[in-house]
Amino acid sequence: SFQSSCFLKNKNRTMTSEAVKANFVKYTGFVAEDKSDKKTLKWATTKLNSTKKDGYTITCNQRPIEKCVLIETEVIFESKKVEDVVAVFGDSISYENDETLTEYKVVEKKGNSVVHYGRYKIPIPFVSDRDLVFEVTKEVITEGTFVSTCDVECSAHPVDKKVVRMTLWGGALFTQDGDNVKLVTYDYG
């Protein structure tokens, strides 16, 4: 049987179906927030507001969360099938093409989950490099295809005291909308 070397922070398990469901509940909480609430939640628009690109339209909003920023992104992929868009989301190809990464690899794959490792060199003197170990899990649910992303601890990539270990949480829901695919994500880290 498969024994994972990676675990959700403070938990001795990988992304189970229950963990993905818990992340979907968190995701739906963000979806339900009143985006017009500028005082309490402090949602703000970004420069990407119905911005048309080649084959898609993107809109981003943001608000503070804990000690970081929660980003809401909506992308409409034109003339695409949901399974084709989901297939490349969180795939190693997108990370392998990230020029800011100085090191990248897929740590392990199991079923519908992939654990990734990435290290970023920070080009500022006296600023430590950053790294991240995270798991991407894809699951088909009633509402569409939900992709859950969460930082994990991994014995194959222990914390290096000379590098700042980043955290990450993300939820993304893909739905077919006629000929298009609608993607709504919430991410912070």
Side-chain angles (χ1 to χ4, degrees):
S1 94
F2 178 85
Q3 180 61 40
S4 177
S5 62
C6 302
F7 301 100
L8 290 175
K9 289 202 163 202
N10 303 320
K11 296 177 180 116
N12 193 19
R13 61 184 172 82
T14 58
M15 285 284 257
T16 62
S17 201
E18 292 76 30
V20 172
K21 286 177 188 172
N23 280 346
F24 185 69
V25 169
K26 186 175 189 176
Y27 172 91
T28 57
F30 291 139
V31 169
E33 288 183 358
D34 180 3
K35 305 303 186 292
S36 65
D37 182 352
K38 306 294 184 204
K39 287 188 173 185
T40 310
L41 296 175
K42 300 180 179 159
W43 278 103
T45 56
T46 68
K47 292 179 183 177
L48 294 173
N49 191 353
S50 297
T51 304
K52 287 209 163 282
K53 301 282 186 175
D54 187 24
Y56 66 94
T57 304
I58 185 169
T59 300
C60 292
N61 296 300
Q62 64 184 25
R63 75 163 174 85
I65 186 170
E66 298 170 7
K67 293 182 180 179
C68 37
V69 176
L70 173 66
I71 305 288
E72 174 195 60
T73 305
E74 179 180 291
V75 183
I76 304 298
F77 295 96
E78 300 162 5
S79 301
K80 297 287 182 187
K81 295 208 177 300
V82 73
E83 51 275 356
D84 296 335
V85 177
V86 171
V88 296
F89 189 84
D91 193 16
S92 62
I93 294 167
S94 58
Y95 301 109
E96 290 166 350
N97 294 326
D98 185 342
E99 295 175 2
T100 62
L101 278 170
T102 57
E103 183 181 350
Y104 169 79
K105 69 178 175 176
V106 171
V107 178
E108 61 187 34
K109 292 182 179 183
K110 180 184 179 190
N112 60 346
S113 290
V114 179
V115 176
H116 303 269
Y117 171 79
R119 182 170 175 161
Y120 298 85
K121 178 128 181 88
I122 306 300
I124 302 170
F126 310 110
V127 175
S128 299
D129 286 359
R130 306 291 193 257
D131 75 351
L132 177 64
V133 182
F134 61 101
E135 185 171 8
V136 177
T137 303
K138 300 175 185 179
E139 198 162 300
V140 176
I141 59 174
T142 305
E143 295 82 351
T145 300
F146 184 65
V147 178
S148 181
T149 305
C150 193
D151 58 288
V152 293
E153 294 177 357
C154 187
S155 61
H157 290 281
V159 174
D160 179 342
K161 292 181 183 188
K162 296 178 184 174
V163 177
V164 175
R165 178 63 46 99
M166 296 185 294
T167 61
L168 175 66
W169 181 90
L173 183 63
F174 296 81
T175 54
Q176 192 71 49
D177 187 13
D179 290 338
N180 302 326
V181 173
K182 180 179 180 181
L183 164 64
V184 178
T185 70
Y186 291 89
D187 303 282
Y188 66 92

